Amino acid sequence: DVKVTQSSRYLVKRTGEKVFLECVQDMDHENMFWYRQDPGLGLRLIYFSYDVKMKEKGDIPEGYSVSREKKERFSLILESASTNQTSMYLCASSLGPVNQPQHFGDGTRLSIL
Amino acid sequence: GDSVTQMEGPVTLSEEAFLTINCTYTATGYPSLFWYVQYPGEGLQLLLKATKADDKGSNKGFEATYRKETTSFHLEKGSVQVSDSAVYFCALRNTGNQFYFGTGTSLTVIP
């Protein structure tokens, strides 16, 4: 089974801090994704990556950056955390072919105080 | 652009009732279609998939058929259990390697 591991289930940070969310997958997937999930807004794509050192902006990249130095690891960075970034963050990965699904981690519930 | 529309919830059913959650999509080409389930406080888990027209995906008593003529992928289960209470997401992956999700349908099953 594919395993996507997010480093923290719950995280509490303060406004203005630089926050790192880590995601690791163990199945050699080319594609990795970061979403945030908020009540009533569904899943919104922040960034994605098709390969090592590659990144593409999703629908809501403002205030975030990402890093993919190794194929199995995709990090989401909040440069200067703000209260409106309090959310559930979901990491996902997938193989390249179109018939392949995304596999999700358990999520990180991030609170910015 | 491509999109997924699923029925709004919340849906409340009694145990052993029949479940249908409607999902329709808009996409060019031949997307793959998926249903995911999310239990409270967890990430999304793949429930089933179908990758071409008339395919039926099935898992844990749930099933959905890829209907290209009606651009639909409705989720069904013949007899729901309390443990099926969760949020269900319909999704597609298009030939451009993009994923689109519906807004989710919350299901509560009461004993």
Side-chain angles (χ1 to χ4, degrees), chain A:
Chain A
D1 271 0
V2 176
K3 184 71 174 174
V4 178
T5 302
Q6 295 185 229
S7 52
S8 306
R9 291 296 300 272
Y10 301 93
L11 205 53
V12 180
K13 296 292 183 181
R14 297 207 173 275
T15 303
E17 281 192 72
K18 191 169 186 176
V19 180
F20 293 85
L21 302 183
E22 306 288 345
C23 176
V24 177
Q25 50 93 4
D26 66 355
M27 284 301 291
D28 205 35
H29 284 179
E30 299 94 322
N31 306 321
M32 297 189 75
F33 308 80
W34 276 107
Y35 294 89
R36 63 177 285 178
Q37 183 179 25
D38 301 287
L41 297 178
L43 273 70
R44 292 183 291 168
L45 182 64
I46 305 172
Y47 267 96
F48 58 101
S49 169
Y50 292 143
D51 203 348
V52 177
K53 296 193 185 296
M54 292 182 64
K55 60 185 178 184
E56 299 284 344
K57 293 180 179 179
D59 300 319
I60 53 163
E62 296 79 18
Y64 303 94
S65 63
V66 290
S67 173
R68 194 164 181 203
E69 296 296 318
K70 294 185 177 181
K71 190 174 186 179
E72 67 270 19
R73 186 180 298 270
F74 193 36
S75 303
L76 180 69
I77 304 156
L78 285 66
E79 298 290 345
S80 177
S82 64
T83 55
N84 62 12
Q85 293 178 308
T86 292
S87 186
M88 170 72 108
Y89 288 87
L90 294 170
C91 176
S93 70
S94 75
L95 285 168
V98 70
N99 64 354
Q100 296 298 310
Q102 285 176 319
H103 298 268
F104 284 83
D106 286 336
T108 296
R109 174 79 59 189
L110 175 64
S111 296
I112 307 296
L113 304 180

Side-chain angles (χ1 to χ4, degrees), chain B residues 4-45:
Chain B
V4 174
T5 302
Q6 63 181 102
M7 65 184 279
E8 294 192 16
V11 174
T12 302
L13 295 173
S14 297
E15 204 165 25
E16 299 183 4
F18 185 86
L19 169 71
T20 300
I21 300 178
N22 289 336
C23 172
T24 58
Y25 68 91
T26 301
T28 54
Y30 300 92
S32 292
L33 302 174
F34 310 95
W35 276 101
Y36 287 86
V37 59
Q38 185 179 33
Y39 299 102
E42 298 184 9
L44 278 68
Q45 301 174 24

